[in-house]
Amino acid sequence: MTDSMADFRRVADDVRNWGRWGDADELGTLNFITAAKVAEATALARTGKVFPLGVDFGSGGPQGAFEFRHNPVHVMTVDGGDAQALVKYGPQWLHNSVAHHVGKLFVDNLFRFNDDMVVMPLQAASQWDALCHVYYEDKLYNGFPADSVTSFGAFHCGIDKVDSKGIASRGVLLDVVRHRGAGVFLEPGNPVTPEELDAVARAQGVTLTRGDIVLVHTGWWTRFAQTRNGAERGSGLHWRCASWLHDNEIAAVAADNMMVEDPHPASGVSGAFLPMHLLCLRDMGLMLGEYWDMTALSADCAADGVYEFQLVAPPLRVVGGVGSPVNPIAIK
């Protein structure tokens, strides 16, 4: 049943962190990650097992299903196929400065190279949402004006503002799909509630502490790897999980699905698309990670019963960016 705007307003007032770390703060709940927390996390790397959580950035990614975001376009700017022709024609190709420059470099020289570039949305695959990514009523996190995000980028709350935090902390996996015994992934229409997150943590024998980064395994990416259907919806966090994240003083949350939260209208708020995004990013100052592949990590956690680890997930320092690609690493 869809909740009302009055319900949303009550939760927003309760979880809002504006001014908690000062009027100039642009880090939000990353402030929970202290030096002591980072040191605690390093002690969790006990076996040296490394689990990359990032997915491929390529033409076969999930964003092809959405018109306003596209999969990465990878283009070679210099490649091995050019070398022979550039040696022959490049030095004389004066009207093409690139061919002339590269061809002149190759002539009478052993040196050869390949070069490339990528054109893509910053949220094309595994990524962090910056705090400026969503807003409402013309305000970003901490009350900064929404019009401070312009065609030149985000002056306030851009992804570059969080680079000083790393981001590194204790990671905790909550394996909801395994807890439900759901097989591959969580079918649409059955959102993950705060009570279920508590039940999963108890069943796994893990305790959440201030400054943790919570990873929610829904199985969506495993499903996508089988079907390549980026538009297929699965269940995610109910919007009221924002209160759970706030009460547990979580630093950030990431999931293996497309939105972290549940996109089903019956799991939301009337008149507010993606209400958990609004509460987390705009009111709490809590970053969201999307499209993280937890398949191998979840299998290992189930095998050894250890659901905590060192998590290292720094964003690219894209000045004014409203999001960033990321290749997170979990170390056990």
Side-chain angles (χ1 to χ4, degrees):
M1 177 177 166
T2 304
D3 290 309
S4 70
M5 184 58 67
D7 296 323
F8 174 86
R9 297 286 186 186
R10 282 192 291 270
V11 173
D13 289 342
D14 182 59
V15 305
R16 191 169 297 126
N17 284 325
W18 294 11
R20 182 171 183 171
W21 296 284
D23 293 340
D25 177 62
E26 299 181 61
L27 293 177
T29 53
L30 293 181
N31 284 291
F32 290 138
I33 304 177
T34 62
K37 187 70 181 182
V38 175
E40 172 195 343
T42 62
L44 300 176
R46 303 181 180 100
T47 66
K49 290 185 288 187
V50 176
F51 298 91
L53 307 177
V55 304
D56 290 342
F57 284 79
S59 60
Q63 297 292 7
F66 304 101
E67 293 183 357
F68 65 94
R69 264 188 214 157
H70 303 280
N71 282 318
V73 177
H74 180 217
V75 178
M76 299 302 299
T77 55
V78 179
D79 62 45
D82 295 328
Q84 186 173 348
L86 287 175
V87 168
K88 184 176 181 180
Y89 302 112
Q92 292 79 41
W93 203 341
L94 297 178
H95 64 279
N96 186 316
S97 61
V98 175
H100 174 73
H101 177 77
V102 176
K104 189 175 180 181
L105 183 66
F106 283 174
V107 170
D108 298 326
N109 200 306
L110 288 174
F111 177 74
R112 298 289 184 269
F113 72 99
N114 300 305
D115 234 23
D116 54 1
M117 62 182 289
V118 173
V119 180
M120 68 177 188
L122 292 180
Q123 300 175 46
S126 301
Q127 51 92 14
W128 282 119
D129 285 343
L131 298 186
C132 60
H133 176 46
V134 302
Y135 62 96
Y136 64 93
E137 295 175 344
D138 298 323
K139 296 293 184 183
L140 306 174
Y141 165 70
N142 216 14
F144 291 113
D147 65 7
S148 64
V149 183
T150 74
S151 59
F152 293 98
F155 184 77
H156 289 297
C157 300
I159 197 67
D160 53 307
K161 301 298 177 62
V162 310
D163 184 65
S164 61
K165 296 301 291 188
I167 298 167
S169 190
R170 176 184 184 239
V172 174
L173 177 75
L174 296 181
D175 195 345
V176 181
V177 67
R178 189 177 297 274
H179 182 76
R180 287 189 185 181
V184 176
F185 87 126
L186 306 183
E187 297 286 349
N190 191 8
V192 181
T193 64
E195 294 78 16
E196 187 172 18
L197 292 177
D198 284 333
V200 173
R202 284 195 301 270
Q204 294 178 177
V206 66
T207 301
L208 294 159
T209 58
R210 175 188 290 181
D212 288 344
I213 298 176
V214 171
L215 308 188
V216 182
H217 182 221
T218 72
W220 188 93
W221 188 263
T222 305
R223 172 74 168 185
F224 172 74
Q226 297 170 348
T227 66
R228 313 310 297 184
N229 181 6
E232 183 175 21
R233 302 297 177 93
S235 289
L237 298 183
H238 191 280
W239 74 272
R240 289 182 180 270
C241 288
S243 295
W244 184 92
L245 295 164
H246 177 266
D247 293 345
N248 284 286
E249 298 185 314
I250 300 303
V253 63
D256 56 343
N257 58 18
M258 67 180 77
M259 296 174 182
V260 180
E261 68 182 286
D262 197 287
H264 197 282
S267 306
V269 172
S270 179
F273 180 61
L274 298 182
M276 201 185 92
H277 271 62
L278 299 177
L279 293 169
C280 288
L281 293 168
R282 189 263 199 186
D283 289 319
M284 293 171 58
L286 182 143
M287 287 169 44
L288 306 175
E290 298 167 347
Y291 293 127
W292 292 25
D293 185 1
M294 303 172 192
T295 308
L297 176 63
S298 63
D300 189 80
C301 290
D304 66 10
V306 177
Y307 288 85
E308 61 176 357
F309 38 84
Q310 181 185 21
L311 180 69
V312 182
L316 296 181
R317 192 179 174 89
V318 180
V319 177
V322 303
S324 171
V326 64
N327 185 28
I329 302 292
I331 307 172
K332 294 180 68 177

